[in-house]
Amino acid sequence: MIQLQRIYRNNDAASENAFDGSHIRSYEEYLEMAKIPSCEGVSARVMDALQQRVGHAELSIDKIAEDINLSKRTLQRRLQQQQANFAQLRDSMRFHYAIKYLIDEHMSVDTVSKALDFSDRTSFTNAFKRWTGLSPSVFRKLFRDYA
């Protein structure tokens, strides 16, 4: 039998399970973090293709490579030459639109998940927590008045 250990970042045993809001940033800081990065060359072409597809089409590397008339492998090589990778570029685009959709567009978490081409709601929620430290629903509750 495999046992998993839970490691808590908070050393205070009394507040081990309590919510620690010290890592929450301001809405403006999240917007700054979620800005679409300015890119050049192939990275810029990838970002443009992602931006055209976001919300209504698949965001896979295969589809983006087709859109910019490169093979998948050539696209990966050219991105590598620019010290970039597709997953990071797509993540930055998804993060930007996740905040826009949740706060400005008032879309449901499920709808945002589908619009950003995640396989399911859980994948989106995990990615959003990685980006912000908060779940999408908690983020929306905290910042719903900013729209």
Side-chain angles (χ1 to χ4, degrees):
M1 183 165 114
I2 298 174
Q3 282 189 311
L4 300 176
Q5 288 184 338
R6 193 171 275 193
I7 298 171
Y8 295 97
R9 291 183 184 163
N10 188 346
N11 292 333
D12 182 6
S15 64
E16 191 171 87
N17 293 319
F19 177 74
D20 177 17
S22 64
H23 68 281
I24 296 175
R25 301 170 192 270
S26 72
Y27 183 65
E28 289 76 21
E29 288 174 305
Y30 284 117
L31 287 178
E32 187 65 31
M33 289 169 51
K35 274 189 176 175
I36 296 172
S38 60
C39 304
E40 295 181 5
V42 175
S43 295
R45 291 173 59 197
V46 167
M47 293 303 276
D48 289 342
L50 285 167
Q51 204 158 11
Q52 300 219 347
R53 286 180 157 271
V54 75
H56 64 273
E58 191 178 328
L59 301 177
S60 71
I61 190 169
D62 296 315
K63 297 296 182 187
I64 299 301
E66 270 179 39
D67 289 354
I68 61 176
N69 297 315
L70 294 174
S71 72
K72 176 183 171 183
R73 185 63 193 121
T74 300
L75 174 57
Q76 289 171 326
R77 253 192 325 272
R78 292 201 180 152
L79 287 172
Q80 187 177 23
Q81 289 169 351
Q82 291 186 312
Q83 282 82 45
N85 86 37
F86 180 78
Q88 289 172 338
L89 294 173
R90 183 177 57 192
D91 253 8
S92 64
M93 184 67 65
R94 282 174 163 173
F95 183 26
H96 172 81
Y97 278 95
I99 289 177
K100 179 183 187 312
Y101 288 160
L102 286 170
I103 303 300
D104 298 341
E105 309 282 330
H106 306 288
M107 292 168 68
S108 72
V109 175
D110 285 328
T111 306
V112 173
S113 171
K114 288 175 186 150
L116 298 178
D117 195 34
F118 281 92
S119 58
D120 56 28
R121 179 188 173 131
T122 303
S123 298
F124 169 62
T125 299
N126 290 338
F128 199 84
K129 284 180 181 177
R130 188 176 69 245
W131 300 328
T132 65
L134 303 168
S135 72
S137 54
V138 168
F139 186 88
R140 185 193 335 243
K141 285 176 188 168
L142 287 172
F143 301 114
R144 67 178 148 223
D145 297 333
Y146 284 86

